Amino acid sequence: MFVLITYDVNTETAAGRKRLRHVAKQCVNYGQRVQNSVFECVIDPAKFRLVKASLEKIIDAKYDSLRFYYLGNNYKEKVEHIGVKPSYDAEAPIVL
């Protein structure tokens, strides 16, 4: 399934900046960063539950927020990209 993860972490304190780094590091493990606090993830439901639980443990719900957009399996018809950064195929093989 295709999930868009977005977050807003309050960085006014050192603890907030640390949470921001941890949230970003977790998201990088599961998806592709498409904007500063936006990740596109093609993951199965079990992995999604893992990443969601780990992110919930990191943030402070009094100051930070997480949003998950479930775009399903037919996401290619639901995503349109305009602008400088080229779009990518989330399911294409990664060449290193």
Side-chain angles (χ1 to χ4, degrees):
M1 73 181 179
F2 186 76
V3 179
L4 190 70
I5 301 175
T6 67
Y7 54 86
D8 187 18
V9 177
N10 184 312
T11 58
E12 293 177 356
T13 65
R17 291 186 290 278
K18 183 177 181 180
R19 288 193 310 273
L20 176 65
R21 288 190 303 276
H22 286 154
V23 168
K25 191 177 282 190
Q26 276 299 314
C27 289
V28 165
N29 290 332
Y30 293 94
Q32 173 72 34
R33 176 176 282 180
V34 292
Q35 291 188 358
N36 286 338
S37 298
V38 181
F39 284 81
E40 293 178 349
C41 305
V42 178
I43 53 179
D44 61 51
K47 281 188 180 178
F48 174 70
R49 285 190 297 276
L50 286 174
V51 70
K52 183 179 177 188
S54 68
L55 292 173
E56 286 180 296
K57 289 178 185 176
I58 296 169
I59 70 159
D60 184 335
K62 294 176 194 165
Y63 304 104
D64 311 328
S65 68
L66 289 169
R67 294 180 74 101
F68 302 96
Y69 296 89
Y70 309 99
L71 299 178
N73 292 323
N74 297 320
Y75 66 90
K76 291 182 182 182
E77 299 166 4
K78 299 175 185 175
V79 177
E80 180 178 357
H81 174 83
I82 299 170
V84 296
K85 289 186 178 180
S87 190
Y88 75 101
D89 182 353
E91 296 180 286
I94 298 174
V95 179
L96 299 175

